């Protein structure tokens, strides 16, 4: 299929103290989040000078992709500058007709896939009838190079521990409401958790097949009366310590870069929890601009550009597809 541009679509983040609350208001608009909750989360950003690392990481990813990607490159965020609608407008002005979008989440759920597709549609509507067509690249939770980039980071983290043979692997991803997980996938089949379980299994097998592992969750933000995926990473570390585990490697397989939720929830909160419990703690890196991850993105582009080749890089059995049906990952409010 003919594509004439590449679009990086991401979450966005503030780049100064004055950006923090407006950014958080964008993220939570329409959800009725209390002001005190926003102020609490704002404190996480203010701890780092009001700057989320995600925008710099996206710039670095685009720079890493340019040498091997023969398409004009654009970048738009859902919640902060550069906004997606501005990127689509620039594409229109540059004469782009059909772009391929890489979304910085490997997994399927309303928050990690459908909302990005809805935002792309809204951005196109805002630009008007001459906006370029934009196709989203498929999920890549089981791509061999995604798995290997995480596995290499797990091996490096294990090497930093006193005795890797006694370590426990703890894989983390962003928690979502259980209703959202249950509605993820065509017709609602719990695709989000299933994909993450498969990623965890593949990374563990590639990194340290002799070690036990668990999939847990982080970064919950919802009200306590709403069920979310559990256990939380901090609660799980306490349970492991009580069971006699002495060393842990925490690997954020649900994330592609060390953005704020990784460095706050794991490098601060989970690390502090482990220290209080007497657990030796090592946090595995995310892919970032690991050459394997960069090559993976180029391969995903080639899959679509060279659709006739029938080459599809995947290790697992949880299926992925190029075009999502209308009933895929609907909002839990509509279920």
């Amino acid at each position: 299929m003919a594509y004439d541009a590449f679009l990086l679509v991401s979450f966005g983040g503030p780049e100064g103290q004055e950006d923090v609350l407006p950014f958080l208001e964008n993220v939570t608009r329409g959800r009725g989040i209390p002001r005190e909750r926003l102020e609490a989360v704002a404190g996480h950003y203010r701890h780092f000078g009001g700057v989320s690392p995600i925008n710099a990481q996206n710039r670095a990813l685009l720079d890493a992709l340019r040498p091997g990607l023969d398409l004009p490159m654009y970048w738009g965020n859902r919640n902060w500058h550069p906004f997606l609608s501005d990127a689509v407008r620039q594409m229109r002005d540059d004469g782009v007709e059909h772009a391929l979008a890489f979304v910085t989440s490997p997994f399927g759920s309303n928050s990690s896939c459908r909302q990005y597709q809805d935002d792309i549609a809204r951005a196109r509507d805002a630009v008007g009838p001459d906006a370029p067509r934009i196709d989203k690249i498929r999920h890549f939770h089981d791509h061999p190079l995604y798995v290997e980039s995480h596995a290499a980071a797990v091996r490096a983290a294990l090497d930093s521990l006193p005795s890797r043979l006694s370590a426990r692997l703890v894989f983390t991803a962003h928690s979502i409401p259980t209703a959202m997980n249950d509605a993820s996938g065509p017709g609602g089949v719990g695709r989000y958790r299933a994909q993450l379980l498969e990623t965890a299994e593949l990374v563990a097998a590639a990194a340290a097949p002799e070690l036990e592992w668990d999939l847990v969750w982080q970064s919950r933000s919802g009200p306590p009366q709403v069920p979310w995926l559990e256990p939380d990473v901090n609660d799980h570390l306490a349970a492991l310590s009580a069971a006699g585990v002495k060393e842990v490697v925490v690997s954020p397989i649900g994330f592609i870069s060390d953005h704020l939720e990784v460095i706050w929830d794991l490098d601060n909160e989970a690390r502090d929890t482990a220290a209080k419990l007497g657990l030796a703690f090592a946090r595995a890196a995310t892919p970032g601009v690991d050459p394997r991850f960069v090559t993976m993105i180029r391969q995903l582009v080639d899959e679509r550009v060279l659709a006739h080749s029938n080459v599809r890089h995947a290790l697992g059995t949880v299926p992925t597809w190029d075009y999502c049906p209308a009933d895929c990952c609907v909002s839990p409010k509509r279920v």
Side-chain angles (χ1 to χ4, degrees):
M1 188 173 292
Y3 291 100
D4 54 358
F6 174 90
L7 173 64
L8 177 66
V9 183
S10 192
F11 191 79
E15 297 199 86
Q17 296 285 16
E18 66 281 1
D19 297 344
V20 173
L21 280 174
F23 161 74
L24 292 174
E25 288 166 353
N26 284 343
V27 172
T28 60
R29 182 168 289 116
R31 291 170 52 192
I33 304 298
R35 183 71 177 189
E36 57 268 23
R37 175 59 183 159
L38 292 186
E39 293 287 356
V41 176
H44 302 171
Y45 288 92
R46 298 196 190 288
H47 178 81
F48 297 100
V51 179
S52 168
I54 193 169
N55 283 344
Q57 290 161 0
N58 283 328
R59 293 185 188 101
L61 181 59
L62 287 169
D63 288 343
L65 282 168
R66 281 191 178 92
L69 199 59
D70 190 23
L71 288 171
M73 303 181 75
Y74 298 84
W75 167 33
N77 291 324
R78 289 178 54 194
N79 299 297
W80 202 246
H81 306 281
F83 284 110
L84 188 53
S85 57
D86 294 333
V88 174
R89 187 172 291 105
Q90 185 63 57
M91 292 161 67
R92 187 272 315 271
D93 293 347
D94 292 345
V96 173
E97 295 182 353
H98 195 180
L100 196 53
F102 177 80
V103 170
T104 55
S105 172
F107 305 99
S109 74
N110 186 264
S111 62
S112 61
C113 184
R114 174 58 64 185
Q115 287 183 19
Y116 283 97
Q117 301 212 56
D118 290 347
D119 284 340
I120 289 172
R122 277 191 289 270
R124 294 185 67 247
D125 288 344
V127 170
D130 53 350
R133 177 180 169 185
I134 300 172
D135 294 337
K136 177 184 175 295
I137 288 175
R138 68 171 175 90
H139 302 157
F140 49 92
H141 76 282
D142 64 340
H143 192 289
L145 296 178
Y146 185 70
V147 170
E148 180 52 32
S149 61
H150 276 293
V154 169
R155 290 192 290 267
L158 282 168
D159 289 342
S160 73
L161 291 175
S163 173
R164 67 171 279 156
L165 294 178
S166 64
R168 183 75 158 240
L169 304 183
V170 178
F171 297 108
T172 73
H174 203 300
S175 184
I176 61 174
T178 56
M180 184 184 292
N181 173 70
D182 294 345
S184 61
V189 291
R191 185 59 50 85
Y192 181 72
R193 184 174 181 275
Q195 287 179 319
L196 279 153
L197 278 170
E198 188 162 70
T199 303
E201 183 175 16
L202 291 168
V203 172
E210 74 280 9
L211 299 181
E212 293 186 74
W213 60 270
D214 310 285
L215 174 64
V216 302
W217 310 94
Q218 64 172 86
S219 310
R220 174 186 171 132
S221 59
Q225 66 271 23
V226 177
W228 283 52
L229 293 176
E230 295 179 336
D232 176 78
V233 59
N234 295 284
D235 295 336
H236 188 67
L237 292 178
L240 290 179
S241 177
V245 173
K246 301 299 183 186
E247 300 177 311
V248 294
V249 165
V250 175
S251 170
I253 56 167
F255 304 94
I256 71 164
S257 64
D258 284 8
H259 57 62
L260 189 122
E261 285 180 319
V262 173
I263 62 176
W264 180 266
D265 295 349
L266 298 183
D267 294 351
N268 284 272
E269 293 183 346
R271 188 180 297 275
D272 287 349
T273 296
K276 292 173 183 175
L277 294 167
L279 285 171
F281 178 98
R283 202 268 287 173
T286 51
V289 291
D290 183 297
R292 287 161 289 212
F293 182 67
V294 174
T295 299
M296 180 206 77
I297 298 174
R298 295 181 185 135
Q299 289 182 354
L300 291 171
V301 171
D302 287 344
E303 270 187 21
R304 297 293 283 270
V305 173
L306 307 173
H308 61 276
S309 69
N310 293 318
V311 173
R312 200 171 184 90
H313 304 277
L315 295 173
T317 60
V318 178
T320 61
W321 48 86
D322 289 337
Y323 300 98
C324 292
D327 67 342
C328 190
C329 298
V330 296
S331 169
K333 295 178 181 179
R334 292 171 50 198
V335 175

mmCIF file of all heavy atoms in Angstrom, residues 13-29 33-46 50-51 79-80:
data_model
loop_
_atom_site.group_PDB
_atom_site.id
_atom_site.type_symbol
_atom_site.label_atom_id
_atom_site.label_comp_id
_atom_site.label_asym_id
_atom_site.label_seq_id
_atom_site.Cartn_x
_atom_site.Cartn_y
_atom_site.Cartn_z
ATOM 1 N N GLY A 13 3.411 15.348 27.340
ATOM 2 C CA GLY A 13 3.763 15.660 28.715
ATOM 3 C C GLY A 13 4.235 17.092 28.846
ATOM 4 O O GLY A 13 4.673 17.710 27.866
ATOM 5 N N PRO A 14 4.149 17.660 30.045
ATOM 6 C CA PRO A 14 4.551 19.052 30.250
ATOM 7 C C PRO A 14 6.053 19.225 30.099
ATOM 8 O O PRO A 14 6.836 18.303 30.324
ATOM 9 C CB PRO A 14 4.109 19.334 31.684
ATOM 10 C CG PRO A 14 4.155 17.997 32.368
ATOM 11 C CD PRO A 14 3.732 17.011 31.316
ATOM 12 N N GLU A 15 6.450 20.444 29.729
ATOM 13 C CA GLU A 15 7.871 20.751 29.572
ATOM 14 C C GLU A 15 8.277 21.968 30.392
ATOM 15 O O GLU A 15 9.263 22.631 30.099
ATOM 16 C CB GLU A 15 8.210 20.933 28.098
ATOM 17 C CG GLU A 15 7.969 19.655 27.299
ATOM 18 C CD GLU A 15 8.682 19.632 25.975
ATOM 19 O OE1 GLU A 15 9.861 19.232 25.953
ATOM 20 O OE2 GLU A 15 8.068 20.003 24.975
ATOM 21 N N GLY A 16 7.525 22.227 31.460
ATOM 22 C CA GLY A 16 7.839 23.316 32.373
ATOM 23 C C GLY A 16 6.790 23.378 33.461
ATOM 24 O O GLY A 16 5.697 22.819 33.325
ATOM 25 N N GLN A 17 7.116 24.061 34.560
ATOM 26 C CA GLN A 17 6.202 24.107 35.703
ATOM 27 C C GLN A 17 4.838 24.682 35.322
ATOM 28 O O GLN A 17 3.801 24.213 35.818
ATOM 29 C CB GLN A 17 6.818 24.947 36.828
ATOM 30 C CG GLN A 17 8.102 24.373 37.428
ATOM 31 C CD GLN A 17 7.853 23.178 38.351
ATOM 32 O OE1 GLN A 17 6.777 22.584 38.336
ATOM 33 N NE2 GLN A 17 8.841 22.840 39.159
ATOM 34 N N GLU A 18 4.821 25.667 34.445
ATOM 35 C CA GLU A 18 3.552 26.294 34.083
ATOM 36 C C GLU A 18 2.673 25.384 33.219
ATOM 37 O O GLU A 18 1.472 25.624 33.064
ATOM 38 C CB GLU A 18 3.797 27.620 33.345
ATOM 39 C CG GLU A 18 4.454 27.507 31.988
ATOM 40 C CD GLU A 18 5.969 27.295 32.033
ATOM 41 O OE1 GLU A 18 6.536 27.219 33.159
ATOM 42 O OE2 GLU A 18 6.582 27.201 30.961
ATOM 43 N N ASP A 19 3.262 24.332 32.671
ATOM 44 C CA ASP A 19 2.500 23.409 31.822
ATOM 45 C C ASP A 19 1.782 22.320 32.618
ATOM 46 O O ASP A 19 0.868 21.676 32.088
ATOM 47 C CB ASP A 19 3.437 22.691 30.833
ATOM 48 C CG ASP A 19 4.112 23.627 29.856
ATOM 49 O OD1 ASP A 19 3.654 24.773 29.720
ATOM 50 O OD2 ASP A 19 5.101 23.195 29.221
ATOM 51 N N VAL A 20 2.192 22.090 33.856
ATOM 52 C CA VAL A 20 1.796 20.866 34.555
ATOM 53 C C VAL A 20 0.289 20.757 34.726
ATOM 54 O O VAL A 20 -0.339 19.775 34.294
ATOM 55 C CB VAL A 20 2.516 20.760 35.915
ATOM 56 C CG1 VAL A 20 1.961 19.577 36.714
ATOM 57 C CG2 VAL A 20 4.020 20.598 35.706
ATOM 58 N N LEU A 21 -0.340 21.730 35.370
ATOM 59 C CA LEU A 21 -1.780 21.626 35.618
ATOM 60 C C LEU A 21 -2.606 21.701 34.336
ATOM 61 O O LEU A 21 -3.555 20.919 34.180
ATOM 62 C CB LEU A 21 -2.225 22.681 36.624
ATOM 63 C CG LEU A 21 -1.945 22.308 38.088
ATOM 64 C CD1 LEU A 21 -2.289 23.466 39.019
ATOM 65 C CD2 LEU A 21 -2.716 21.059 38.501
ATOM 66 N N PRO A 22 -2.296 22.592 33.378
ATOM 67 C CA PRO A 22 -3.048 22.540 32.114
ATOM 68 C C PRO A 22 -2.935 21.187 31.412
ATOM 69 O O PRO A 22 -3.920 20.698 30.838
ATOM 70 C CB PRO A 22 -2.412 23.661 31.285
ATOM 71 C CG PRO A 22 -1.878 24.618 32.294
ATOM 72 C CD PRO A 22 -1.397 23.767 33.430
ATOM 73 N N PHE A 23 -1.759 20.591 31.454
ATOM 74 C CA PHE A 23 -1.589 19.261 30.869
ATOM 75 C C PHE A 23 -2.477 18.238 31.576
ATOM 76 O O PHE A 23 -3.198 17.462 30.927
ATOM 77 C CB PHE A 23 -0.122 18.838 30.956
ATOM 78 C CG PHE A 23 0.108 17.355 30.813
ATOM 79 C CD1 PHE A 23 -0.010 16.736 29.583
ATOM 80 C CD2 PHE A 23 0.444 16.581 31.927
ATOM 81 C CE1 PHE A 23 0.195 15.364 29.453
ATOM 82 C CE2 PHE A 23 0.643 15.221 31.808
ATOM 83 C CZ PHE A 23 0.518 14.610 30.571
ATOM 84 N N LEU A 24 -2.450 18.216 32.898
ATOM 85 C CA LEU A 24 -3.258 17.263 33.646
ATOM 86 C C LEU A 24 -4.748 17.500 33.433
ATOM 87 O O LEU A 24 -5.548 16.546 33.416
ATOM 88 C CB LEU A 24 -2.907 17.318 35.124
ATOM 89 C CG LEU A 24 -1.513 16.804 35.489
ATOM 90 C CD1 LEU A 24 -1.221 17.041 36.967
ATOM 91 C CD2 LEU A 24 -1.368 15.324 35.155
ATOM 92 N N GLU A 25 -5.150 18.744 33.268
ATOM 93 C CA GLU A 25 -6.550 19.030 32.967
ATOM 94 C C GLU A 25 -6.940 18.476 31.601
ATOM 95 O O GLU A 25 -8.058 17.975 31.414
ATOM 96 C CB GLU A 25 -6.787 20.543 33.037
ATOM 97 C CG GLU A 25 -6.753 21.083 34.467
ATOM 98 C CD GLU A 25 -6.638 22.596 34.534
ATOM 99 O OE1 GLU A 25 -6.443 23.220 33.460
ATOM 100 O OE2 GLU A 25 -6.743 23.155 35.645
ATOM 101 N N ASN A 26 -6.024 18.540 30.637
ATOM 102 C CA ASN A 26 -6.287 17.921 29.334
ATOM 103 C C ASN A 26 -6.459 16.409 29.481
ATOM 104 O O ASN A 26 -7.366 15.809 28.894
ATOM 105 C CB ASN A 26 -5.137 18.209 28.364
ATOM 106 C CG ASN A 26 -5.167 19.618 27.814
ATOM 107 O OD1 ASN A 26 -6.181 20.302 27.892
ATOM 108 N ND2 ASN A 26 -4.049 20.047 27.256
ATOM 109 N N VAL A 27 -5.562 15.784 30.240
ATOM 110 C CA VAL A 27 -5.590 14.331 30.399
ATOM 111 C C VAL A 27 -6.904 13.870 31.028
ATOM 112 O O VAL A 27 -7.480 12.853 30.637
ATOM 113 C CB VAL A 27 -4.388 13.866 31.257
ATOM 114 C CG1 VAL A 27 -4.504 12.378 31.588
ATOM 115 C CG2 VAL A 27 -3.076 14.149 30.543
ATOM 116 N N THR A 28 -7.399 14.629 32.015
ATOM 117 C CA THR A 28 -8.538 14.172 32.829
ATOM 118 C C THR A 28 -9.850 14.840 32.450
ATOM 119 O O THR A 28 -10.852 14.629 33.132
ATOM 120 C CB THR A 28 -8.251 14.432 34.317
ATOM 121 O OG1 THR A 28 -8.056 15.843 34.528
ATOM 122 C CG2 THR A 28 -6.999 13.677 34.762
ATOM 123 N N ARG A 29 -9.868 15.609 31.389
ATOM 124 C CA ARG A 29 -11.085 16.352 31.025
ATOM 125 C C ARG A 29 -12.277 15.403 30.870
ATOM 126 O O ARG A 29 -12.195 14.368 30.204
ATOM 127 C CB ARG A 29 -10.864 17.138 29.737
ATOM 128 C CG ARG A 29 -12.062 17.985 29.318
ATOM 129 C CD ARG A 29 -11.709 18.969 28.224
ATOM 130 N NE ARG A 29 -10.863 20.046 28.749
ATOM 131 C CZ ARG A 29 -9.629 20.260 28.369
ATOM 132 N NH1 ARG A 29 -9.053 19.459 27.491
ATOM 133 N NH2 ARG A 29 -8.929 21.257 28.884
ATOM 134 N N ILE A 33 -12.238 14.298 37.886
ATOM 135 C CA ILE A 33 -11.161 14.051 38.842
ATOM 136 C C ILE A 33 -11.084 15.223 39.823
ATOM 137 O O ILE A 33 -11.010 16.383 39.413
ATOM 138 C CB ILE A 33 -9.812 13.883 38.125
ATOM 139 C CG1 ILE A 33 -9.895 12.762 37.088
ATOM 140 C CG2 ILE A 33 -8.697 13.613 39.129
ATOM 141 C CD1 ILE A 33 -10.192 11.404 37.654
ATOM 142 N N PRO A 34 -11.096 14.968 41.144
ATOM 143 C CA PRO A 34 -11.029 16.065 42.119
ATOM 144 C C PRO A 34 -9.741 16.877 41.967
ATOM 145 O O PRO A 34 -8.677 16.340 41.613
ATOM 146 C CB PRO A 34 -11.067 15.343 43.472
ATOM 147 C CG PRO A 34 -11.629 13.992 43.187
ATOM 148 C CD PRO A 34 -11.220 13.655 41.783
ATOM 149 N N ARG A 35 -9.837 18.163 42.260
ATOM 150 C CA ARG A 35 -8.680 19.050 42.130
ATOM 151 C C ARG A 35 -7.515 18.582 43.003
ATOM 152 O O ARG A 35 -6.343 18.661 42.590
ATOM 153 C CB ARG A 35 -9.081 20.474 42.535
ATOM 154 C CG ARG A 35 -7.969 21.515 42.379
ATOM 155 C CD ARG A 35 -7.709 21.799 40.930
ATOM 156 N NE ARG A 35 -6.697 22.846 40.747
ATOM 157 C CZ ARG A 35 -6.415 23.398 39.584
ATOM 158 N NH1 ARG A 35 -7.060 23.009 38.485
ATOM 159 N NH2 ARG A 35 -5.490 24.336 39.479
ATOM 160 N N GLU A 36 -7.826 18.053 44.202
ATOM 161 C CA GLU A 36 -6.741 17.625 45.084
ATOM 162 C C GLU A 36 -5.968 16.446 44.487
ATOM 163 O O GLU A 36 -4.770 16.293 44.739
ATOM 164 C CB GLU A 36 -7.275 17.276 46.479
ATOM 165 C CG GLU A 36 -8.346 16.205 46.524
ATOM 166 C CD GLU A 36 -9.755 16.791 46.449
ATOM 167 O OE1 GLU A 36 -9.919 17.921 45.932
ATOM 168 O OE2 GLU A 36 -10.684 16.098 46.910
ATOM 169 N N ARG A 37 -6.661 15.616 43.711
ATOM 170 C CA ARG A 37 -5.958 14.504 43.046
ATOM 171 C C ARG A 37 -5.015 15.054 41.976
ATOM 172 O O ARG A 37 -3.889 14.583 41.832
ATOM 173 C CB ARG A 37 -6.961 13.535 42.443
ATOM 174 C CG ARG A 37 -6.338 12.416 41.618
ATOM 175 C CD ARG A 37 -5.386 11.561 42.407
ATOM 176 N NE ARG A 37 -4.756 10.546 41.565
ATOM 177 C CZ ARG A 37 -3.614 9.931 41.864
ATOM 178 N NH1 ARG A 37 -2.986 10.209 42.982
ATOM 179 N NH2 ARG A 37 -3.108 9.033 41.049
ATOM 180 N N LEU A 38 -5.475 16.040 41.204
ATOM 181 C CA LEU A 38 -4.609 16.656 40.201
ATOM 182 C C LEU A 38 -3.386 17.285 40.850
ATOM 183 O O LEU A 38 -2.270 17.163 40.337
ATOM 184 C CB LEU A 38 -5.376 17.715 39.408
ATOM 185 C CG LEU A 38 -6.495 17.246 38.482
ATOM 186 C CD1 LEU A 38 -7.030 18.416 37.670
ATOM 187 C CD2 LEU A 38 -6.027 16.132 37.561
ATOM 188 N N GLU A 39 -3.600 17.947 41.985
ATOM 189 C CA GLU A 39 -2.475 18.579 42.681
ATOM 190 C C GLU A 39 -1.473 17.539 43.153
ATOM 191 O O GLU A 39 -0.258 17.760 43.109
ATOM 192 C CB GLU A 39 -2.979 19.409 43.861
ATOM 193 C CG GLU A 39 -3.807 20.635 43.465
ATOM 194 C CD GLU A 39 -2.969 21.753 42.878
ATOM 195 O OE1 GLU A 39 -1.728 21.622 42.850
ATOM 196 O OE2 GLU A 39 -3.555 22.761 42.432
ATOM 197 N N ALA A 40 -1.982 16.384 43.595
ATOM 198 C CA ALA A 40 -1.077 15.324 44.062
ATOM 199 C C ALA A 40 -0.227 14.799 42.909
ATOM 200 O O ALA A 40 0.992 14.606 43.051
ATOM 201 C CB ALA A 40 -1.880 14.198 44.698
ATOM 202 N N VAL A 41 -0.858 14.554 41.767
ATOM 203 C CA VAL A 41 -0.103 14.068 40.609
ATOM 204 C C VAL A 41 0.834 15.157 40.097
ATOM 205 O O VAL A 41 1.960 14.876 39.663
ATOM 206 C CB VAL A 41 -1.061 13.590 39.504
ATOM 207 C CG1 VAL A 41 -0.283 13.166 38.260
ATOM 208 C CG2 VAL A 41 -1.914 12.429 40.005
ATOM 209 N N ALA A 42 0.384 16.415 40.162
ATOM 210 C CA ALA A 42 1.251 17.516 39.735
ATOM 211 C C ALA A 42 2.550 17.524 40.524
ATOM 212 O O ALA A 42 3.614 17.874 39.992
ATOM 213 C CB ALA A 42 0.518 18.851 39.898
ATOM 214 N N GLY A 43 2.476 17.110 41.798
ATOM 215 C CA GLY A 43 3.681 17.057 42.602
ATOM 216 C C GLY A 43 4.724 16.109 42.039
ATOM 217 O O GLY A 43 5.940 16.346 42.192
ATOM 218 N N HIS A 44 4.284 15.039 41.394
ATOM 219 C CA HIS A 44 5.238 14.115 40.771
ATOM 220 C C HIS A 44 6.017 14.829 39.667
ATOM 221 O O HIS A 44 7.234 14.676 39.535
ATOM 222 C CB HIS A 44 4.512 12.900 40.184
ATOM 223 C CG HIS A 44 3.715 12.132 41.194
ATOM 224 N ND1 HIS A 44 2.845 11.114 40.835
ATOM 225 C CD2 HIS A 44 3.644 12.218 42.546
ATOM 226 C CE1 HIS A 44 2.283 10.622 41.928
ATOM 227 N NE2 HIS A 44 2.748 11.271 42.965
ATOM 228 N N TYR A 45 5.282 15.584 38.837
ATOM 229 C CA TYR A 45 5.942 16.317 37.755
ATOM 230 C C TYR A 45 6.832 17.436 38.295
ATOM 231 O O TYR A 45 7.942 17.666 37.797
ATOM 232 C CB TYR A 45 4.900 16.901 36.796
ATOM 233 C CG TYR A 45 4.223 15.862 35.932
ATOM 234 C CD1 TYR A 45 3.033 15.264 36.329
ATOM 235 C CD2 TYR A 45 4.777 15.462 34.720
ATOM 236 C CE1 TYR A 45 2.403 14.311 35.539
ATOM 237 C CE2 TYR A 45 4.163 14.506 33.921
ATOM 238 C CZ TYR A 45 2.974 13.933 34.343
ATOM 239 O OH TYR A 45 2.365 12.983 33.563
ATOM 240 N N ARG A 46 6.346 18.123 39.320
ATOM 241 C CA ARG A 46 7.122 19.232 39.871
ATOM 242 C C ARG A 46 8.425 18.743 40.502
ATOM 243 O O ARG A 46 9.413 19.472 40.541
ATOM 244 C CB ARG A 46 6.274 20.008 40.872
ATOM 245 C CG ARG A 46 5.029 20.637 40.238
ATOM 246 C CD ARG A 46 4.420 21.711 41.117
ATOM 247 N NE ARG A 46 3.115 22.134 40.629
ATOM 248 C CZ ARG A 46 2.903 22.878 39.541
ATOM 249 N NH1 ARG A 46 3.941 23.270 38.809
ATOM 250 N NH2 ARG A 46 1.679 23.229 39.186
ATOM 251 N N GLY A 50 8.839 20.036 36.613
ATOM 252 C CA GLY A 50 7.686 20.230 35.740
ATOM 253 C C GLY A 50 7.878 19.677 34.348
ATOM 254 O O GLY A 50 7.045 19.918 33.461
ATOM 255 N N VAL A 51 8.931 18.915 34.151
ATOM 256 C CA VAL A 51 9.254 18.399 32.813
ATOM 257 C C VAL A 51 9.076 16.886 32.796
ATOM 258 O O VAL A 51 9.747 16.158 33.540
ATOM 259 C CB VAL A 51 10.698 18.758 32.404
ATOM 260 C CG1 VAL A 51 11.018 18.183 31.026
ATOM 261 C CG2 VAL A 51 10.898 20.266 32.423
ATOM 262 N N ASN A 79 -2.268 14.980 24.420
ATOM 263 C CA ASN A 79 -2.563 15.837 25.559
ATOM 264 C C ASN A 79 -1.678 17.070 25.716
ATOM 265 O O ASN A 79 -1.914 17.863 26.619
ATOM 266 C CB ASN A 79 -2.469 15.009 26.852
ATOM 267 C CG ASN A 79 -3.464 13.871 26.869
ATOM 268 O OD1 ASN A 79 -4.662 14.083 26.852
ATOM 269 N ND2 ASN A 79 -2.960 12.632 26.889
ATOM 270 N N TRP A 80 -0.649 17.224 24.887
ATOM 271 C CA TRP A 80 0.194 18.419 25.003
ATOM 272 C C TRP A 80 0.953 18.642 23.708
ATOM 273 O O TRP A 80 0.985 17.770 22.836
ATOM 274 C CB TRP A 80 1.151 18.315 26.200
ATOM 275 C CG TRP A 80 1.626 19.664 26.672
ATOM 276 C CD1 TRP A 80 2.896 20.165 26.628
ATOM 277 C CD2 TRP A 80 0.801 20.701 27.226
ATOM 278 N NE1 TRP A 80 2.919 21.445 27.136
ATOM 279 C CE2 TRP A 80 1.647 21.803 27.516
ATOM 280 C CE3 TRP A 80 -0.555 20.807 27.519
ATOM 281 C CZ2 TRP A 80 1.185 22.995 28.058
ATOM 282 C CZ3 TRP A 80 -1.029 21.985 28.067
ATOM 283 C CH2 TRP A 80 -0.166 23.057 28.337
#
